[in-house]
Amino acid sequence: MLKIDGLKKTYSTGDEALKGVSFEVDSSEIVAIIGPSGAGKSTLIRCVNRLEEPTEGTIFLDDVEVTSLSKKELRNARRDIGMVFQEFGLVDRLTVMENVLSGRLGYMSSLNAFRRNYPEEDIRRAREILSTVDMAGYEDDRADELSGGQRQRVGIARAVIQNPKILLVDEPTSALDPETSRKVMELLIDIAQEEDISVLINIHEVHLATRFADKIFGLRDGEVVFEGLAAELDESAKDKIYRGEDPEQEVDVSDDSELQSTDIKEI
Amino acid sequence: MWNRFDKRDNIRRYGTALVGLAILIVSWRVMNVNYEYLLTAHYEIYDLLYRMVPPDLGYVNEIASPLIETIHMSIMGTALSIIVSVPIAYLAANNVSPHWTLVYFGKFIISVTRSISAIIWALIFVVMFGPGALAGIFALAVRSIGFIGKLLSEAIEEIDPIPVEAVTATGGNKIDVFVYGIVPQIKPAFIGMSTYRWDINIRQATVLGLVGAGGIGLVLDSAITRLYWPGVTTILLSILLIVIFSEGISAYLRKKIGGV
Amino acid sequence: MSTKESHTWNRPSVFQSRVRKWAVYSGIVLFVLWSVWELRVPIDRLIVGFGAGADMVSSMFPPDFGPTARGRIWTGMIDTIAMSIVATIAGVILSAPVAFMAAKNYAPRPVYYIGMGIIVFSRTFHPLILAIVFVKAVGVGPLAGVITLAVVTIGFFAKLLSEEIEDMDRLQYDAIRATGANPFQSLAYGIIPQIKPRFIGLSVYRWDINFRASTIIGIVGGGGIGSTLMSSFQRFQLDFSLAILITILICVMIGEVMSLKVREKYQ
């Protein structure tokens, strides 16, 4: 259902983050991208919903060619693509409920969005999802009052309420402790399976990837160097991806440096 | 169902918005704007531009010396205010002031001098000293006392008491304590705020002449009275030049030494 | 002054070399000396001046708060307050787009330079100078003052707001965009909540400054108490001048306290 072909991204600084990446994600499939930091994992994810403009290549979501959409069409396509961020990406000064319901912005008029006038159906659904992610009762708390694990649960709720076809998940656990990471991952996968959403997840903890993903891609220096089922990821494959570095020791400095050069022309 | 705002929130939000709007409308009505003026505004602006361009560059000879006088005024005004501000800031700083009544005295001087604009002080000093740069210098100096005095007394209030105690412990008298215990701690901030104030004072000095207190403002006033608009343009450009120049110097000095 | 202690002690300097340091210091000293020499003031003029000062003070007391004076002060102050309010609101509204234009990491280069140009222009001239020009354009009265103060407000407000926008958390904005929100919604959810407290604080602070400025704008015909004050000085009604000065002083202090209180509440 998601088909990426020959995707390249060259930043204005000349850095080649992606050098022609191709792969597919099938319906209800969970696909993990692993690789050392700086391999281009975040860039790849951000190219799919064009938070980052790809330089070359095509991305199809079902029959829609995301890469050739106009701004307005892109906004419609983005409603089908949920996104979960490494640093959660919650709006600090809004309440939990507003954050979750912001997942419905693509379906609302600007005026209603501004007045916080949400459809009853959305509110009912938001409550339902919040209780699924175990955050019922926090509706009116401000996002910056929550712990990291709680914030990521709200982040997941925001993505799920979009009713997306696919979830893009960018390093969901690297800002969390191991125990919380595991719980958040379990929750994420449970919901995705229950709601029948495909997941493209980029993650640096290999053990989490092998445990939760159906399929794994290894990314190195902007190229796919491994592709296979989770069970097929053996030592030699890891070696190829990480070139001998211990992946679990990998300190993932968030790929911030890669993200700076985007220009926002939409304001 | 869930609502972001309950009834009371909404009353408060819309109430605030209404009150704000009412204040705005009342304010506008109070101003008694003459709309006829507005109708001719575009013509007047066009006319003004037409008269102002091109600038009379030959006028530079005539404005050079008032321009230099403006700079001198700003320097003297700042220097004078620094001399007066230091003791006043010392009195007004809670932690070093000799007596609590003096704290209030210092703070009183600071708020009075600060709350009245330099140009109003200039009106007063023109009455005292007659028209000319002297009145301007005093106006700048008095207004700056409030500025430097406030920032400096705050800087003194925030100093680390340990060096002060150390100097006291070695048997230093009040002056030693001030020079070795306090001065080193506030020096960068002090230089920074003085330079910054000088920068502001140049800008202020350009207008004091409008009320007779010397500098380029005098020439500007007479050029406007004579409706000599090409000259006005030259004066505005020259002001632009010295303001940018002083801003550059001030930024350099503050980067090098100052803390503000 | 405060530089004295460094005369006897060679400590590391912030200047690259001691030569340069001394060049800077002696440059300042020379400039001050030159100023003293150029403007050399005969002592007798100072003495005469202070004598005149004593006369002035005696003719100022008691301040004239008679019924006519009260009426004129009241009218002037109401005008002044009205001008400061209208100018602040207008200035703040005009500043918002300029602030986005001048936010380095959001605006395209050419737009950024235009934004910075507007800011620099409106900061350079003293309000009184701008007021002269606007008095010529729209006639004597409060409107000229309001336009002047609104323009000056842009320089201040847009500058500080653009810095706030530059420091904003980009991720929150990206996350909202990723849901398919349109530009207006992204602004309302991803940006406004982040800059709102600072926006309110700065507005109130700017009102405080505008109020001070609007007490003097009348000196050149821009409306408000300034023209009353100016004419009282020209007619040597110094007891009336003092009454106006006291009123300005009290109102400015009240304004400052109010602005401080509001800012404490929001920041």
Side-chain angles (χ1 to χ4, degrees):
Chain A
M1 61 163 303
L2 180 74
K3 189 169 183 297
I4 295 177
D5 195 26
L7 190 68
K8 287 188 187 171
K9 172 70 190 178
T10 312
Y11 284 102
S12 50
T13 51
D15 293 339
E16 279 184 85
L18 299 174
K19 303 170 182 166
V21 172
S22 307
F23 64 84
E24 279 179 53
V25 180
D26 290 332
S27 289
S28 0
E29 196 176 37
I30 291 163
V31 173
I33 303 168
I34 59 171
S37 65
K41 302 192 297 287
S42 277
T43 308
L44 175 58
I45 291 258
R46 292 171 64 94
C47 276
V48 173
N49 60 0
R50 282 174 58 190
L51 281 181
E52 209 80 63
E53 284 298 334
T55 318
E56 218 176 284
T58 55
I59 297 168
F60 276 91
L61 184 65
D62 289 334
D63 301 329
V64 181
E65 187 186 349
V66 178
T67 30
S68 67
L69 297 178
S70 71
K71 275 187 179 158
K72 177 142 185 17
E73 292 165 335
L74 175 62
R75 288 203 290 275
N76 284 335
R78 276 179 178 164
R79 304 190 301 200
D80 293 333
I81 308 173
M83 191 159 183
V84 176
F85 296 85
Q86 178 178 2
E87 301 286 349
F88 324 125
L90 298 188
V91 181
D92 282 338
R93 289 203 178 87
L94 295 185
T95 59
V96 166
M97 201 63 164
E98 282 169 295
N99 268 294
V100 174
L101 287 166
S102 66
R104 299 300 294 172
L105 285 176
Y107 297 93
M108 289 174 74
S109 75
S110 296
L111 185 65
N112 280 339
F114 185 74
R115 293 179 52 213
R116 312 296 196 253
N117 189 6
Y118 308 103
E120 287 200 3
E121 169 58 23
D122 287 357
I123 296 175
R124 196 192 53 74
R125 177 93 172 110
R127 283 190 187 282
E128 193 181 293
I129 298 174
L130 275 177
S131 80
T132 315
V133 299
D134 213 12
M135 287 295 292
Y138 289 92
E139 288 85 353
D140 290 329
D141 286 20
R142 256 170 55 157
D144 53 5
E145 291 168 354
L146 305 178
S147 71
Q150 291 176 322
R151 306 182 95 199
Q152 197 55 296
R153 288 161 192 272
V154 177
I156 292 170
R158 174 177 63 191
V160 171
I161 202 174
Q162 284 180 236
N163 287 336
K165 294 176 181 165
I166 185 167
L167 274 181
L168 303 176
V169 187
D170 186 13
E171 298 282 6
T173 58
S174 60
L176 305 174
D177 63 75
E179 173 63 11
T180 318
S181 294
R182 190 183 51 77
K183 283 188 183 156
V184 164
M185 278 301 293
E186 279 171 1
L187 177 71
L188 183 71
I189 301 305
D190 279 354
I191 292 188
Q193 281 168 345
E194 197 167 310
E195 306 276 333
D196 203 21
I197 310 172
S198 322
V199 177
L200 178 61
I201 181 168
N202 132 24
I203 192 163
H204 70 273
E205 291 117 322
V206 176
H207 69 276
L208 289 177
T210 49
R211 177 168 160 200
F212 291 106
D214 304 321
K215 218 159 66 182
I216 289 183
F217 289 96
L219 206 61
R220 170 169 193 96
D221 293 333
E223 282 166 309
V224 177
V225 293
F226 169 82
E227 176 176 357
L229 299 175
E232 294 167 1
L233 186 74
D234 53 17
E235 284 308 314
S236 81
K238 281 187 200 168
D239 204 46
K240 205 159 143 199
I241 301 168
Y242 291 95
R243 209 173 276 162
E245 298 161 32
D246 182 354
E248 301 295 325
Q249 291 294 317
E250 186 78 34
V251 185
D252 194 286
V253 205
S254 67
D255 292 15
D256 267 351
S257 55
E258 291 182 9
L259 309 181
Q260 281 167 0
S261 58
T262 353
D263 36 356
I264 300 187
K265 298 194 181 88
E266 290 187 29
I267 295 183
Chain B
M1 277 280 100
W2 177 89
N3 266 311
R4 171 65 182 84
F5 305 105
D6 61 23
K7 258 213 180 86
R8 268 183 50 208
D9 284 337
N10 270 329
I11 292 172
R12 212 176 43 227
R13 283 166 71 231
Y14 290 116
T16 315
L18 272 178
V19 169
L21 196 65
I23 291 177
L24 178 63
I25 292 169
V26 168
S27 299
W28 181 262
R29 295 299 296 273
V30 160
M31 295 191 329
N32 262 326
V33 172
N34 187 339
Y35 294 100
E36 280 169 32
Y37 282 164
L38 268 183
L39 294 177
T40 54
H42 64 282
Y43 170 75
E44 292 287 345
I45 290 171
Y46 176 77
D47 180 55
L48 190 63
L49 288 177
Y50 178 75
R51 287 162 192 256
M52 284 178 84
V53 183
D56 175 10
L57 294 179
Y59 204 46
V60 168
N61 294 327
E62 265 178 76
I63 62 173
S65 104
L67 209 55
I68 292 172
E69 188 180 60
T70 307
I71 299 174
H72 286 315
M73 278 162 57
S74 71
I75 292 173
M76 289 300 293
T78 314
L80 198 60
S81 87
I82 289 173
I83 295 170
V84 184
S85 310
V86 171
I88 289 187
Y90 187 81
L91 296 182
N94 271 323
N95 51 345
V96 294
S97 186
H99 195 267
W100 65 269
T101 48
L102 292 174
V103 174
Y104 284 100
F105 172 73
K107 293 212 189 293
F108 176 74
I109 300 274
I110 287 172
S111 10
V112 170
T113 52
R114 223 167 79 77
S115 299
I116 293 188
S117 308
I119 189 110
I120 296 181
W121 286 115
L123 279 171
I124 295 173
F125 285 111
V126 167
V127 174
M128 278 176 72
F129 297 110
L134 189 59
I137 293 173
F138 272 91
L140 293 175
V142 171
R143 170 64 182 86
S144 309
I145 289 172
F147 180 91
I148 299 182
K150 177 166 191 280
L151 293 179
L152 193 58
S153 69
E154 283 169 1
I156 295 176
E157 281 171 0
E158 279 164 20
I159 59 172
D160 179 359
I162 292 167
V164 180
E165 284 160 15
V167 178
T168 318
T170 58
N173 59 26
K174 284 241 165 202
I175 294 171
D176 291 333
V177 169
F178 185 70
V179 172
Y180 296 105
I182 299 176
V183 169
Q185 294 198 53
I186 58 172
K187 185 182 151 190
F190 176 71
I191 294 178
M193 66 185 73
S194 307
T195 321
Y196 184 42
R197 187 64 216 184
W198 169 71
D199 186 12
I200 299 175
N201 278 346
I202 279 235
R203 226 171 281 221
Q204 298 281 358
T206 58
V207 297
L208 294 185
L210 296 175
V211 296
I216 190 74
L218 274 176
V219 194
L220 180 63
D221 194 37
S222 83
I224 289 169
T225 322
R226 287 184 291 134
L227 301 176
Y228 180 45
W229 294 104
V232 172
T233 315
T234 317
I235 295 170
L236 293 187
L237 288 177
S238 69
I239 291 177
L240 190 72
L241 210 68
I242 59 168
V243 167
I244 290 174
F245 176 69
S246 69
E247 212 163 67
I249 295 182
S250 146
Y252 171 79
L253 286 178
R254 279 185 287 154
K255 201 177 105 199
K256 283 294 178 192
I257 5 181
V260 177
Chain C
M1 278 137 277
S2 69
T3 58
K4 263 180 195 155
E5 85 285 1
S6 61
H7 289 208
T8 51
W9 176 34
N10 302 338
R11 57 174 175 185
S13 168
V14 281
F15 296 94
Q16 277 86 341
S17 67
R18 298 193 54 228
V19 178
R20 188 185 298 190
K21 172 179 164 179
W22 285 107
V24 169
Y25 283 147
S26 45
I28 294 172
V29 170
L30 273 178
F31 238 97
V32 173
L33 289 178
W34 183 34
S35 296
V36 174
W37 176 249
E38 270 299 311
L39 298 167
R40 58 195 176 279
V41 176
I43 295 296
D44 54 330
R45 198 168 157 211
L46 276 178
I47 293 169
V48 171
F50 284 115
D55 289 347
M56 183 184 72
V57 170
S58 72
S59 55
M60 276 179 159
F61 278 98
D64 176 11
F65 278 113
T68 333
R70 277 210 304 269
R72 292 179 63 196
I73 292 178
W74 173 256
T75 323
M77 278 319 286
I78 290 291
D79 259 7
T80 302
I81 294 170
M83 280 163 59
S84 67
I85 291 171
V86 177
T88 306
I89 294 176
V92 164
I93 292 172
L94 293 173
S95 302
V98 179
F100 280 102
M101 288 166 74
K104 211 175 205 157
N105 45 356
Y106 287 83
R109 267 314 85 156
V111 174
Y112 169 73
Y113 288 119
I114 296 172
M116 283 311 282
I118 296 174
I119 288 174
V120 168
F121 171 79
S122 61
R123 279 165 70 88
T124 302
F125 290 110
H126 192 284
L128 283 185
I129 292 183
L130 290 177
I132 291 172
V133 176
F134 289 122
V135 164
K136 161 80 174 126
V138 299
V140 169
L143 183 63
V146 164
I147 298 177
T148 306
L149 293 178
V151 168
V152 179
T153 300
I154 294 175
F156 169 92
F157 199 84
K159 179 86 179 59
L160 294 177
L161 191 61
S162 72
E163 281 165 12
E164 183 70 11
I165 295 170
E166 283 169 8
D167 293 344
M168 197 179 69
D169 179 8
R170 172 64 184 272
L171 185 63
Q172 300 180 25
Y173 172 75
D174 275 351
I176 296 296
R177 276 200 310 153
T179 64
N182 66 31
F184 177 81
Q185 292 168 332
S186 308
L187 181 74
Y189 279 73
I191 294 180
I192 289 178
Q194 294 197 54
I195 58 177
K196 192 170 149 196
R198 182 104 174 115
F199 187 90
I200 293 173
L202 279 178
S203 307
V204 175
Y205 183 44
R206 185 62 218 189
W207 169 74
D208 181 13
I209 301 176
N210 278 347
F211 180 56
R212 284 160 202 255
S214 66
T215 59
I216 59 166
I217 219 90
I219 289 174
V220 294
I225 193 83
S227 51
T228 323
L229 182 66
M230 179 81 169
S231 71
S232 78
F233 267 99
Q234 281 166 341
R235 294 178 199 158
F236 282 96
Q237 299 166 330
L238 295 180
D239 49 348
F240 184 37
S241 309
L242 183 61
I244 299 173
L245 285 175
I246 293 173
T247 314
I248 292 180
L249 195 65
I250 292 172
C251 290
V252 165
M253 284 176 177
I254 293 175
E256 184 171 14
V257 171
M258 279 167 58
S259 126
L260 266 177
K261 284 272 175 296
V262 175
R263 276 147 62 204
E264 269 168 19
K265 199 181 150 204
Y266 278 96
Q267 281 172 325

